[in-house]
């Protein structure tokens, strides 16, 4: 509820003649004063003498008692005490009263009067509800309901005035009074039951409308009462529909009393989408509260979404309003469901406008292609150049890497390659994380895993952070995303892109290192190396290259490429921004799962194999340092120079053959690689992998390497 709700003036409460309780207040005040003047005289005796009743009612004949009774009943019908009919308030229950008649009156008249008392008591209760619910704090719906009931009470008071006129003409008997009151009994009783529940539950807004709906259904057998309650419901809902209209047609919550079933959390800002991984802006900025009106329950989500779409467009500076006409007014829910159709039409308009805005003006598909080009490494020339010029910086520990220097090198790589022609390349940035990929994945608790949960990996002792981790393991690209594209490419979505990039980037680094080692072995290509440690090392290097290149081929062409094209086709058929978000999230989830990033056990094996390949590539230069000193083949060298070079290679090969350290080290690497590779095959061949085609494809790649080897 808004803090600016006007306060009810005190004089509306302090001056009793402005309320229907003035008769009770005056009586109570007069009685107190008289008791102070005549303390020995009973209150009841004073009441009779003050009204001029010097004789007890029982002393009169029945024919004389009847006019006195009719006059008192006419007063009682509008909640005023008479000579022989008194009002007793029920302590602790505001608005509840009990009418009592002088017990000395004729029994037949008492019986007839007791039949009319429920009508009198119902009037007092209903009138109290009208007065109390007219205060500002009770909201538009209660104001409208109170106004509708007040109109009914005016008709009721007109009936009482007509009865009084007949009484003054001497044409109204007690039986006639009972006869004329009967037609109002059921209506007043239904309203009394309604307001009693409303007072007890202290309802407002949607709860008031739901209460009215339930009472209408409960009176299905009484057409007159049902018609009355339906009219009350229509009047009360008119105020609610005005709030609904502004939300559905303008995206504005005009709800100073907190009655609408949609609430706004202004503490959630759209900027959080690009900053916070767990941002809940889109889900929780606008939410459906409890107590949705029953006639809106089936379209509550449609109503919520319509206003959200209009708000997004307004935040973009794109002021749009659902086209209005005389037929677009939301009035009430009739049997033809016209209101439902109007809400659906407003939703279709808002959804179409926002989708067109994001696809055309903000080029959503183009941005996603740019993400694919850079973070999914679809365009690799800039990355190769960047890895060449940033190799020294990335070889440092994450704490020592200069992010500013990497930014400059990245910009240089982008400008010197084909990426310079891409208008989106300026949105690309880079960052260096502090922990390894496996540790990062373990901290993202919302990532589900089909085989084993990622959360289970947090306490895995084998996931201890490597001591020699470098920027090559923690480097990642990032992307600047502006509103409203941040609805689709949020911080969470971008983080998932970065997880995939880090895996691909490190695989490419391993492949480059193995290629360097392979080039070292090519220096002995002209020599007879069969059966030597150099030959064994060359075969191992080729096996490792096949492994890492097969893994890269699988990730790129069997996971990312087909899934991206599938998402692209889905986006072309999307009908709303929510469908776009859903399709994009599904694409990222499939990529994470099929890239093994949601499977800690498999990912751990792959990381071990990559680490082994890197150790081998580094050791190959240390174990056989002479390989580095071998010049490349040059056709311009003189014949004598070539002969000397050949002799030098033969000598180095002989030394390598005699060096047991080289032989033992190469054999150790080979055995370790084979063991790790063999341990990966059973995991991929388990029963659960049969239901996952991507695991079968990966297994075929690995088995192909094993058969070659």
């Amino acid at each position: 509820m808004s803090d600016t709700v006007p306060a009810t003036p005190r004089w509306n409460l302090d001056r009793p003649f402005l309320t229907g309780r003035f008769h009770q207040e005056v009586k109570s005040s007069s009685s107190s004063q008289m008791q102070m003047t005549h303390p020995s005289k009973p209150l009841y005796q004073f009441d009779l003498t003050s009204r001029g009743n010097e004789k007890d009612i029982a002393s009169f004949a029945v024919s004389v008692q009847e006019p006195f009774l009719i006059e008192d009943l006419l007063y009682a019908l509008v909640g005023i005490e008479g000579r022989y009919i008194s009002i007793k308030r029920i302590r602790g229950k505001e608005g509840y009263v009990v009418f009592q008649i002088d017990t000395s009156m004729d029994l037949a008249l008492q019986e007839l009067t007791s039949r009319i008392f429920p009508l009198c008591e119902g009037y007092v209760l209903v009138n109290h509800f009208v007065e109390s619910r007219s205060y500002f704090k009770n909201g538009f719906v209660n104001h409208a309901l109170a106004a509708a009931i007040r109109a009914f009470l005016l008709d009721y008071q007109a009936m009482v005035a007509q009865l009084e006129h007949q009484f003054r003409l001497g044409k109204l008997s007690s039986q006639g009074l009972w006869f004329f009151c009967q037609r109002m009994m059921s209506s007043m009783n239904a309203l009394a039951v309604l307001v009693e529940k409303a007072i007890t539950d202290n309802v407002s807004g949607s709860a008031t409308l739901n209460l009215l709906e339930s009472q209408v259904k409960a009176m299905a057998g009484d057409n007159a009462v049902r018609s009355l309650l339906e009219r009350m419901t229509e009047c009360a809902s008119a105020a609610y529909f005005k709030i609904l209209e502004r939300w559905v047609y303008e995206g504005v919550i005009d709800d100073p009393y907190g009655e609408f079933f949609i609430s706004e959390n202004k503490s959630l800002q759209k900027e959080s989408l690009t900053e916070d991984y767990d941002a809940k802006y889109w889900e929780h900025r606008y939410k459906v509260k409890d107590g949705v009106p029953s006639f809106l329950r089936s379209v509550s989500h449609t109503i919520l979404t319509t206003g959200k779409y209009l708000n997004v467009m307004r935040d973009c500076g794109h002021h749009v309003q659902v086209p209005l006409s005389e037929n677009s007014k939301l009035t009430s829910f009739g049997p033809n469901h016209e209101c439902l159709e109007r809400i659906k039409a407003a939703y279709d308009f808002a959804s179409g406008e926002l989708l067109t805005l994001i696809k055309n003006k903000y080029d959503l598909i183009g941005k996603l292609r740019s993400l694919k080009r850079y973070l999914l490494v679809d365009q690799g020339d800039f990355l190769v150049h960047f890895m060449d010029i940033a190799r020294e910086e990335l070889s440092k520990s994450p704490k020592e890497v200069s992010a500013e220097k990497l930014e400059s090198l990245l910009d240089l790589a982008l400008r010197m390659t084909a990426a310079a022609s891409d208008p989106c390349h300026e949105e690309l940035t880079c960052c260096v994380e502090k922990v390894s990929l496996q540790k990062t994945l373990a901290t993202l608790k919302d990532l589900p895993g089909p085989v084993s949960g990622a959360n289970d990996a947090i306490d895995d002792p084998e996931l201890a952070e490597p001591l020699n981790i470098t920027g090559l393991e923690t480097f990642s690209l990032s992307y600047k995303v502006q509103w409203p594209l941040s609805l689709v490419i949020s911080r969470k979505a971008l983080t998932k892109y970065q997880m995939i990039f880090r895996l691909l980037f490190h695989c490419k680094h391993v492949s480059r290192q193995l290629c360097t080692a392979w080039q070292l072995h090519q220096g002995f290509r002209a020599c007879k190396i069969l059966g030597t440690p150099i030959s064994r090392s060359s075969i191992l290097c080729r096996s490792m290259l096949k492994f890492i290149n097969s893994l890269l081929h699988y990730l790129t062409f069997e996971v990312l490429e087909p899934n991206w094209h599938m998402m692209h086709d889905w986006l072309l058929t999307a009908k709303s921004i929510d469908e776009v978000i859903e399709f994009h999230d599904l694409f990222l989830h499939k990529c994470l799962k099929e890239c093994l990033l949601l499977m800690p056990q498999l990912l751990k094996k792959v990381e071990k194999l990559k680490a082994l390949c890197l150790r081998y590539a580094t050791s190959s230069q240390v174990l056989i340092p002479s390989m580095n000193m071998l010049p490349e083949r040059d056709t311009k060298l003189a014949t004598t120079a070539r002969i000397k070079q050949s002799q030098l290679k033969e000598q180095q090969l002989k030394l390598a053959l005699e060096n047991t350290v080289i032989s033992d080290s190469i054999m150790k690497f080979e055995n370790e690689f084979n063991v790790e590779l063999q341990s990966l095959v059973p995991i991929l061949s388990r029963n659960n992998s049969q239901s996952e085609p991507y695991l079968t494809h990966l297994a075929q790649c690995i088995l192909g390497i094993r058969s070659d080897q």
Side-chain angles (χ1 to χ4, degrees):
M1 184 180 296
S2 174
D3 296 333
T4 59
V5 174
T8 302
R10 285 300 307 171
W11 51 260
N12 198 34
L13 303 173
D14 296 339
R15 297 171 65 180
F17 284 95
L18 294 178
T19 71
R21 299 195 306 270
F22 70 89
H23 50 87
Q24 302 171 32
E25 301 292 342
V26 171
K27 174 182 177 296
S28 176
S29 176
S30 301
S31 300
S32 300
Q33 293 178 8
M34 185 57 65
Q35 278 191 313
M36 293 178 63
T37 307
H38 305 280
S40 61
K41 187 175 292 185
L43 176 62
Y44 180 72
Q45 181 181 354
F46 161 72
D47 289 340
L48 291 177
T49 56
S50 66
R51 296 172 187 139
N53 297 321
E54 297 180 358
K55 298 179 67 176
D56 191 82
I57 188 67
S59 61
F60 296 105
V62 175
S63 59
V64 178
Q65 292 182 24
E66 185 175 12
F68 286 133
L69 175 64
I70 294 174
E71 184 178 22
D72 276 12
L73 280 174
L74 290 173
Y75 280 110
L77 286 173
V78 290
I80 302 175
E81 288 186 325
R83 295 177 179 178
Y84 308 106
I85 295 178
S86 61
I87 296 177
K88 179 181 178 181
R89 294 190 194 179
I90 300 177
R91 182 172 297 177
K93 300 185 73 174
E94 189 72 18
Y96 291 82
V97 298
V98 174
F99 282 82
Q100 295 176 335
I101 190 170
D102 192 330
T103 55
S104 62
M105 188 172 288
D106 180 72
L107 293 178
L109 293 177
Q110 289 187 49
E111 174 63 23
L112 181 64
T113 304
S114 64
R115 298 179 187 176
I116 300 177
F117 277 170
L119 181 62
C120 305
E121 294 166 358
Y123 170 81
V124 173
L125 179 60
V126 171
N127 189 58
H128 166 74
F129 175 84
V130 169
E131 292 176 355
S132 63
R133 290 305 185 272
S134 297
Y135 300 157
F136 290 113
K137 64 180 182 180
N138 293 300
F140 292 133
V141 175
N142 279 333
H143 294 170
L145 177 60
I149 295 177
R150 186 181 287 112
F152 168 81
L153 293 181
L154 287 175
D155 292 340
Y156 169 82
Q157 290 166 355
M159 179 202 75
V160 175
Q162 291 172 354
L163 292 175
E164 184 183 11
H165 178 67
Q166 292 297 315
F167 174 68
R168 300 302 178 198
L169 295 177
K171 298 181 180 180
L172 184 66
S173 64
S174 58
Q175 291 294 333
L177 177 63
W178 165 240
F179 173 78
F180 288 116
C181 285
Q182 285 187 69
R183 72 183 185 89
M184 275 289 184
M185 290 289 288
S186 57
S187 297
M188 188 65 74
N189 179 65
L191 288 180
V193 171
L194 171 68
V195 301
E196 182 177 6
K197 292 182 178 180
I199 293 173
T200 302
D201 298 335
N202 193 27
V203 297
S204 64
S206 301
T208 300
L209 298 179
N210 285 334
L211 176 60
L212 284 164
E213 283 289 311
S214 64
Q215 292 302 112
V216 169
K217 294 177 181 178
M219 294 297 171
D222 191 330
N223 291 333
V225 174
R226 181 183 176 88
S227 176
L228 170 66
L229 292 177
E230 285 178 344
R231 188 165 66 252
M232 297 294 166
T233 304
E234 184 175 354
C235 292
S237 61
Y240 200 85
F241 277 114
K242 289 182 180 179
I243 303 175
L244 179 62
E245 274 187 11
R246 290 213 66 189
W247 173 253
V248 170
Y249 292 151
E250 301 176 40
V252 175
I253 297 181
D254 185 10
D255 183 26
Y257 304 110
E259 300 173 277
F260 197 40
F261 69 89
I262 294 175
S263 62
E264 179 182 8
N265 186 354
K266 294 184 178 180
S267 65
L268 296 177
Q269 300 297 319
K270 59 180 181 290
E271 289 77 16
S272 65
L273 287 169
T274 58
E275 300 169 357
D276 185 6
Y277 178 85
D278 295 317
K280 303 296 183 184
Y281 175 86
W282 187 241
E283 296 83 3
H284 294 164
R285 172 69 186 227
Y286 299 99
K287 290 182 64 177
V288 175
K289 300 188 294 188
D290 295 334
V292 180
S294 56
F295 49 81
L296 293 175
R297 202 162 290 148
S298 62
V299 291
S300 61
H301 181 71
T302 303
I303 294 171
L304 171 68
T305 309
T306 303
K308 286 170 66 175
Y309 292 167
L310 293 172
N311 271 282
V312 172
M313 288 186 280
R314 186 168 61 248
D315 287 343
C316 295
H318 185 73
H319 296 285
V320 64
Q321 184 175 354
V322 178
L324 298 178
S325 64
E326 289 298 325
N327 296 328
S328 62
K329 291 291 183 182
L330 303 179
T331 52
S332 63
F333 277 79
N336 53 358
H337 300 291
E338 289 182 359
C339 197
L340 289 172
E341 295 174 1
R342 292 166 187 168
I343 291 174
K344 183 64 169 62
Y347 168 80
D348 291 339
F349 173 82
S351 176
E353 283 288 313
L354 178 58
L355 198 58
T356 302
L357 180 70
I358 288 183
K359 282 187 175 181
N360 295 343
K361 181 177 179 180
Y362 293 96
D363 191 20
L364 173 65
I365 303 297
K367 296 295 183 183
L368 292 176
R369 283 200 183 98
S370 182
L371 283 171
K372 176 176 180 281
R373 183 178 299 117
Y374 299 119
L375 273 77
L376 300 185
V377 199
D378 188 45
Q379 179 178 334
D381 58 339
F382 88 94
L383 193 61
V384 171
H385 186 58
F386 172 75
M387 294 176 79
D388 286 335
I389 61 178
R391 178 175 53 189
E392 181 180 352
E393 190 68 25
L394 290 174
S395 299
K396 300 177 182 178
S397 66
K399 294 181 180 179
E400 297 174 347
V401 174
S402 171
E404 293 78 10
K405 186 173 182 180
L406 287 181
E407 286 279 1
S408 300
L409 295 174
L410 177 63
D411 184 63
L412 180 63
L414 290 171
R415 294 182 184 279
M416 294 180 64
T417 58
S421 61
D422 180 13
C424 297
H425 82 272
E426 295 183 356
E427 308 296 329
L428 199 63
T429 62
C430 65
C431 60
V432 179
E433 304 294 339
K434 302 303 180 184
V435 295
S436 65
L437 176 60
Q438 288 176 282
K439 280 290 185 181
T440 304
L441 286 168
T443 59
L444 302 179
K445 294 181 170 53
D446 67 320
L447 294 180
V451 177
S452 59
N455 296 338
D456 299 336
I458 296 178
D459 300 324
D460 191 341
E462 296 191 29
L463 286 186
E465 198 68 36
L467 297 177
N468 58 342
I469 188 172
T470 67
L472 290 163
E473 285 82 19
T474 60
F475 173 78
S476 178
L477 293 179
S478 189
Y479 202 84
K480 298 176 184 177
V481 182
Q482 303 298 326
W483 174 265
L485 293 179
S486 55
L487 288 172
V488 182
I489 313 170
S490 62
R491 177 71 258 173
K492 178 179 287 189
L494 196 57
T495 300
K496 294 177 180 178
Y497 275 108
Q498 289 176 323
M499 297 300 102
I500 299 170
F501 173 82
R502 288 177 65 179
L503 177 64
L504 294 170
F505 182 80
H506 195 248
C507 285
K508 285 187 175 293
H509 166 63
V510 174
S511 178
R512 283 166 56 87
Q513 293 299 102
L514 289 173
C515 285
T516 302
W518 176 252
Q519 289 172 0
L520 296 178
H521 289 82
Q522 297 308 296
F524 293 95
R525 187 172 48 185
C527 302
K528 298 178 181 179
I529 61 172
L530 187 62
T532 65
I534 304 301
S535 173
R536 195 173 196 125
S537 178
S538 178
I539 295 173
L540 177 60
C541 186
R542 185 178 63 182
S543 298
M544 289 181 171
L545 267 173
K546 283 189 177 181
F547 163 74
I548 198 67
N549 289 336
S550 296
L551 180 61
L552 278 169
H553 180 275
Y554 161 78
L555 294 174
T556 304
F557 297 104
E558 297 198 31
V559 175
L560 300 177
E561 197 67 28
N563 281 327
W564 197 90
H565 285 290
M566 188 183 299
M567 178 195 67
H568 181 267
D569 293 340
W570 287 342
L571 294 181
L572 295 179
T573 62
K575 302 297 183 183
S576 68
I577 191 63
D578 280 299
E579 286 189 7
V580 170
I581 295 172
E582 180 184 355
F583 293 153
H584 185 240
D585 288 346
L586 180 59
F587 158 72
L588 288 175
H589 176 74
K590 282 175 64 65
C591 289
L592 287 173
K593 182 176 68 172
E594 296 179 15
C595 287
L596 312 182
L597 293 173
L598 302 184
M599 308 175 74
Q601 190 178 11
L602 276 174
L603 182 60
K604 182 172 61 178
K605 291 290 184 183
V606 171
E607 291 297 319
K608 279 187 176 182
L609 284 165
K610 288 196 299 176
L612 182 60
C613 292
L614 282 176
R615 292 208 320 270
Y616 165 77
T618 304
S619 300
S620 64
Q621 301 180 32
V622 178
L623 292 173
I624 315 176
S626 56
M627 294 181 182
N628 292 327
M629 298 184 296
L630 293 177
E632 294 184 1
R633 187 176 182 182
D634 190 348
T635 56
K636 296 181 180 180
L637 290 177
T639 304
T640 56
R642 289 201 302 270
I643 293 174
K644 289 181 179 181
Q645 186 183 39
S646 178
Q647 292 174 351
L648 180 61
K649 290 182 179 180
E650 292 290 346
Q651 292 175 2
Q652 292 170 346
L653 186 61
K654 184 178 180 180
L655 290 174
L657 184 61
E658 294 174 354
N659 192 339
T660 57
V661 175
I662 297 177
S663 178
D664 293 343
S665 298
I666 292 173
M667 184 173 294
K668 182 180 177 181
F669 277 118
E670 182 182 14
N671 291 336
E672 192 173 349
F673 180 73
N674 290 339
V675 169
E676 289 296 335
L677 203 57
Q678 289 170 2
S679 68
L680 187 61
V681 175
I683 300 175
L684 294 173
S685 302
R686 287 178 185 169
N687 293 332
N688 55 13
S689 67
Q690 300 303 318
S691 60
E692 304 289 350
Y694 63 92
L695 291 181
T696 304
H697 296 159
L698 182 58
Q700 290 172 354
C701 293
I702 303 300
L703 289 173
I705 294 172
R706 291 298 306 143
S707 61
D708 274 357
Q709 196 171 357

